[in-house]
Amino acid sequence: MKKVFYPLACCCLAAGVFASCGGQKKANAPEEQNKVALSYSKSLKAPETDSLNLPVDENGYITIFDGETFSGWRGYGKDRVPSKWTIEDGCIKFNGSGGGEAQDGDGGDLIFAHKFKNFELELEWKVAKGSNSGILYLAQEVTSKDKDGNDVLEPIYISAPEYQILDNANHPDAKLGKDNNRQSASLYDMIPAVPQNSKPFGEWNKAKIMVYKGTVVHGQNDENVLEYHLWTKQWTDMLQASKFSEEKWPLAFELLNNCGGENHEGFIGLQDHGDDVWFRNIRVKVLD
């Protein structure tokens, strides 16, 4: 895979398993752990010239959040993590203001700043009552020009499919869209998750997203709930029937129709939708 270095180096470190929110707590005894070098970019459109050594398990899953630091993470279009994103009991938390998508204060979406191509992402999430968020993948950092010729950052979701995260019982978006295609684990506004097996607010849900040579599968709580195929007529037709159609939003249609850009790769993002949401146990298996 482009810009990834996969020779594994065994090294000793104080490893631990996290408890509390993250299910992990530091152990007293050091143990040997495999590591993988993963490149990342530090700011908007910067090349992936910096490198992290991240733990990788025997099945090839790379831990991209260690429960303690934001190493490798930054705000979308930023060179730092916005202050509304914090680490709480081994979890990444967005501290909502109830302002919806307004993203007031020092908020905005969060990305792991390495572009993945063919991969399997696993994580756990939970929401507060009435909360809305999402997981975005194959995202690009997109700018356009305003009337004065200045660069303007476009929203992350115009280049990235979205795995919906929602309190289905209490957020009005659950009843909008078509055939429940805005409920948890759905491909937002396009394909509903079936079966709809999410757990209530305050409880942990498992999310899985697999992207492999255009085939995408969403999983929720150990069940596959949808499958679709990028860069096909099916994909174009779904976009044309959504709010990202060529007529309604030409730039979004162009970017999503060629999702992942020339190299069919992009960032993993966590959405600021103005509501409290928590993420933990975030890991990626590269399938290249």
Side-chain angles (χ1 to χ4, degrees):
M1 174 179 176
K2 183 182 177 185
K3 300 176 183 171
V4 189
F5 309 98
Y6 282 110
L8 297 181
C10 288
C11 64
C12 290
L13 70 144
V17 209
F18 292 87
S20 176
C21 179
Q24 301 175 335
K25 184 178 181 180
K26 285 189 176 179
N28 293 324
E31 66 181 47
E32 204 167 81
Q33 194 172 38
N34 288 331
K35 291 290 191 101
V36 64
L38 209 65
S39 57
Y40 71 104
S41 63
K42 284 190 172 180
S43 61
L44 173 65
K45 296 187 177 180
E48 294 183 8
T49 54
D50 293 275
S51 183
L52 295 167
N53 287 316
L54 300 175
V56 57
D57 71 13
E58 61 185 7
N59 296 313
Y61 283 95
I62 304 165
T63 298
I64 63 171
F65 171 61
D66 63 11
E68 296 181 343
T69 71
F70 280 115
S71 295
W73 294 83
R74 59 178 174 82
Y76 172 75
K78 296 180 170 67
D79 60 2
R80 59 182 179 81
V81 173
S83 63
K84 283 185 174 289
W85 292 96
T86 59
I87 295 173
E88 178 181 283
D89 296 328
C91 303
I92 291 177
K93 181 187 179 185
F94 182 79
N95 296 276
S97 61
E101 294 180 84
Q103 298 188 353
D104 61 340
D106 190 24
D109 302 311
L110 188 71
I111 62 171
F112 185 76
H114 170 81
K115 288 187 175 181
F116 293 98
K117 186 172 185 175
N118 297 308
F119 62 91
E120 190 169 271
L121 168 69
E122 292 186 350
L123 58 80
E124 293 176 276
W125 61 269
K126 71 176 180 178
V127 290
K129 185 175 182 179
S131 286
N132 185 336
S133 185
I135 306 165
L136 300 117
Y137 49 96
L138 297 176
Q140 312 300 307
E141 288 184 296
V142 179
T143 58
S144 60
K145 299 290 185 183
D146 64 15
K147 61 182 178 60
D148 299 318
N150 301 311
D151 281 340
V152 176
L153 186 68
E154 295 286 349
I156 190 172
Y157 53 78
I158 73 166
S159 71
E162 179 184 342
Y163 179 114
Q164 173 79 317
I165 286 177
L166 199 74
D167 174 8
N168 291 335
N170 296 290
H171 195 286
D173 220 20
K175 296 180 175 62
L176 302 177
K178 182 179 180 181
D179 299 327
N180 299 323
N181 67 3
R182 295 189 182 183
Q183 292 189 7
S184 170
S186 296
L187 174 64
Y188 177 75
D189 205 45
M190 286 188 266
I191 305 177
V194 179
Q196 181 46 252
N197 61 350
S198 68
K199 297 179 181 179
F201 73 89
E203 295 187 24
W204 287 105
N205 291 269
K206 295 180 183 178
K208 179 182 282 189
I209 299 168
M210 187 204 75
V211 178
Y212 186 71
K213 297 183 178 179
T215 295
V216 182
V217 177
H218 286 189
Q220 180 167 254
N221 294 324
D222 300 317
E223 292 189 80
N224 291 338
V225 295
L226 66 84
E227 177 180 334
Y228 68 98
H229 303 276
L230 293 168
W231 319 307
T232 62
K233 184 178 184 299
Q234 176 208 29
W235 176 238
T236 301
D237 289 346
M238 284 196 299
L239 289 173
Q240 293 288 33
S242 76
K243 70 178 187 180
F244 306 113
S245 70
E246 191 170 16
E247 179 181 358
K248 294 175 183 174
W249 204 336
L251 180 58
F253 175 80
E254 177 187 352
L255 292 167
L256 287 166
N257 200 37
N258 188 34
C259 192
E262 181 180 351
N263 295 321
H264 290 169
E265 63 182 10
F267 301 116
I268 291 165
L270 305 177
Q271 187 183 52
D272 164 8
H273 205 283
D275 300 321
D276 286 352
V277 59
W278 294 259
F279 302 91
R280 71 180 185 184
N281 297 331
I282 308 172
R283 62 183 196 159
V284 178
K285 183 176 184 178
V286 174
L287 303 178
D288 293 337

